[in-house]
C-alpha cells in the first residue's frame, strides 16, 4: 500500500522581527510534535535551509507588506498555495510596523543620512491582505501558538477555524485573574479580541491589545477609562490604543 502524501506547509516572512517563527519553534510540546506527524514542512527560514518553488498546501505568511519589490513574491506564494494564512499582527493588520504610517521621517529616523538610498525603499506597512487574498488570520504579537495550531488542525480536518469576537476580559475573568486596574495599572483587555487566553494579565502585565480590537470597540470609553482609572493623558491614551491598531485608526 502506498503511503498517503502529507499536506505541505511553508513559512514565509516579510517585514517583521520573525518572532512569530521563533514562537513556533518554541512549541516543543505534544501538540506541535503531533502536528508535525501530519504535515511536511518544506520551507521555514528560522529552522531549516531548504526552500521550495513547488505548489504548497498551506502557506503561513509572517510580516507586513512594506516594499513594492515584495509584491511579486507575495503573488507567487498566492499562486502556488492552496490556502494562505497570515499569522502574527504584522501580517494580519500591519501590527506594530504600522506605527510608521503616522510618521513622515521614519527613513531618516532609522537610517540617518542614508535613509533615502534606493535599497532601503520602504513604504507604509500594510497587512498581507492588502496585496493578495488571505484565507485565514492568526492575530497577536506574537500569534497565539495554540490558535495557529488550531487553525492548521481545522484546515487538515476540513473544518472552519473560528476566532472569538468577545474581549480578552472574558478570558481573564475565566482565569480568575485580578484586574490590572485593581492593581493600579492600565489594561486594554476590554476592547482587545480574545483568543489568546489572557496570558498577559495573568502574568501581571497589561493587555496591550496585540490581537487587535473586537468588532466595534468603544474607543471613547477605552480612552476615558485609561485617563480616569490609570491616570493617562489623552495623548498617551490615544497613542496606547493605536499601538497594534495603527492601520485601523486615522
Ligand atoms: S507579530 Fe510581533 S512577534 Fe510576530 S513578527 Fe510581528 S513584531 Fe514579531
Ligand atoms: S486585567 Fe485587563 S483583561 Fe483582565 S479584567 Fe482587567 S481590564 Fe479585563
Ligand atoms: S492578553 Fe492582550 S497583549 Fe496579551 S496576548 Fe492577549 S491580546 Fe495580546
Amino acid at each position: 500500500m502506498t503511503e498517503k502524501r502529507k499536506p505541505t506547509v511553508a513559512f514565509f516572512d516579510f517585514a517583521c522581527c520573525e518572532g512569530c517563527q521563533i514562537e513556533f519553534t518554541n512549541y516543543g510540546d505534544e501538540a506541535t510534535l503531533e502536528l508535525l506527524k501530519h504535515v511536511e514542512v518544506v520551507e521555514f527560514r528560522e529552522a531549516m535551509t531548504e526552500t521550495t518553488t513547488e505548489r504548497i498546501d498551506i502557506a503561513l505568511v509572517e510580516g507586513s507588506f512594506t516594499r513594492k519589490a515584495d509584491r511579486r513574491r507575495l503573488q507567487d506564494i498566492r499562486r502556488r498555495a492552496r490556502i494562505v494564512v497570515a499569522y502574527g499582527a504584522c501580517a494580519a493588520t500591519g501590527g506594530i510596523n504600522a506605527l510608521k504610517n503616522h510618521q513622515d521621517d521614519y527613513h531618516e529616523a532609522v537610517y540617518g543620512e542614508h535613509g533615502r538610498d534606493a535599497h532601503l525603499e520602504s513604504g507604509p506597512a500594510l497587512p498581507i491582505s492588502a496585496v493578495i487574498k488571505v484565507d485565514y488570520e492568526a492575530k497577536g504579537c506574537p500569534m497565539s501558538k495554540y490558535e495557529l495550531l488550531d487553525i492548521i488542525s481545522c484546515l487538515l480536518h476540513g473544518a472552519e477555524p473560528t476566532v472569538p469576537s468577545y474581549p480578552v476580559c472574558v478570558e481573564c475573568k475565566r482565569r480568575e485573574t485580578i484586574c490590572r486596574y485593581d492593581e493600579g495599572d492600565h489594561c486594554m483587555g476590554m476592547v482587545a479580541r480574545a483568543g489568546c487566553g489572557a496570558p498577559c494579565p495573568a502574568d501581571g502585565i497589561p493587555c496591550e491589545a496585540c490581537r487587535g480590537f473586537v468588532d466595534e470597540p468603544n474607543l471613547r470609553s477605552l480612552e476615558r477609562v485609561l485617563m480616569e482609572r490609570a491616570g493617562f493623558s489623552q495623548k498617551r491614551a490615544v497613542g496606547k490604543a493605536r499601538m497594534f491598531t495603527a492601520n485601523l485608526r486615522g
Side-chain angles (χ1 to χ4, degrees):
M1 197 171 83
T2 53
E3 201 179 331
K4 201 173 160 209
R5 181 184 77 83
K6 288 182 185 174
T8 51
V9 174
F11 292 74
F12 300 99
D13 51 86
F14 289 81
C16 67
C17 75
E18 299 190 15
C20 289
Q21 279 185 72
I22 299 286
E23 180 73 353
F24 196 88
T25 63
N26 274 343
Y27 287 9
D29 59 17
E30 283 181 22
T32 315
L33 297 176
E34 185 62 30
L35 174 75
L36 294 177
K37 288 184 196 164
H38 300 282
V39 299
E40 184 187 354
V41 178
V42 290
E43 181 162 344
F44 190 168
R45 196 159 79 106
E46 288 286 350
M48 59 194 277
T49 50
E50 293 85 349
T51 58
T52 182
T53 55
E54 301 291 316
R55 288 190 65 78
I56 310 151
D57 288 304
I58 304 175
L60 299 172
V61 181
E62 177 192 32
S64 316
F65 172 75
T66 62
R67 298 182 304 182
K68 288 185 208 136
D70 286 336
R71 183 176 293 276
R72 279 180 68 177
R73 186 171 159 237
L74 272 171
Q75 288 169 337
D76 177 62
I77 291 169
R78 179 68 268 187
R79 187 179 51 74
R80 290 192 288 128
R82 197 164 59 81
I83 298 169
V84 172
V85 180
Y87 75 109
C90 295
T93 65
I96 206 158
N97 296 337
L99 286 174
K100 77 172 185 176
N101 301 353
H102 299 271
Q103 191 174 342
D104 292 329
D105 63 344
Y106 56 83
H107 290 95
E108 291 76 12
V110 176
Y111 298 111
E113 60 182 287
H114 298 291
R116 299 286 165 176
D117 289 2
H119 70 287
L120 297 175
E121 180 263 321
S122 169
L126 299 173
I128 297 304
S129 60
V131 182
I132 58 170
K133 178 175 176 282
V134 166
D135 300 299
Y136 300 98
E137 291 175 351
K139 300 171 192 292
C141 179
M143 83 294 172
S144 161
K145 45 180 132 185
Y146 296 110
E147 185 177 39
L148 185 61
L149 282 178
D150 187 57
I151 289 173
I152 298 172
S153 174
C154 282
L155 297 177
L156 294 179
H157 290 94
E160 197 63 24
T162 54
V163 180
S165 57
Y166 48 80
V168 167
C169 284
V170 173
E171 293 177 333
C172 190
K173 291 291 118 193
R174 279 189 197 137
R175 293 180 72 148
E176 302 183 358
T177 301
I178 295 173
C179 182
R180 295 313 306 153
Y181 285 99
D182 290 334
E183 302 275 6
D185 203 349
H186 72 278
C187 190
M188 297 203 291
M190 57 283 223
V191 290
R193 186 178 294 277
C196 55
C200 301
D203 280 347
I205 55 176
C207 170
E208 304 284 5
C210 78
R211 294 172 52 78
F213 291 154
V214 291
D215 300 333
E216 300 181 28
N218 187 338
L219 298 179
R220 272 218 181 141
S221 183
L222 170 70
E223 286 165 21
R224 187 169 49 75
V225 170
L226 286 171
M227 288 190 285
E228 290 179 5
R229 293 205 57 191
F232 281 26
S233 65
Q234 187 177 27
K235 188 176 173 204
R236 190 175 171 210
V238 171
K240 175 65 72 178
R242 179 179 277 169
M243 193 155 90
F244 285 102
T245 58
N247 268 329
L248 305 179
R249 291 162 65 97

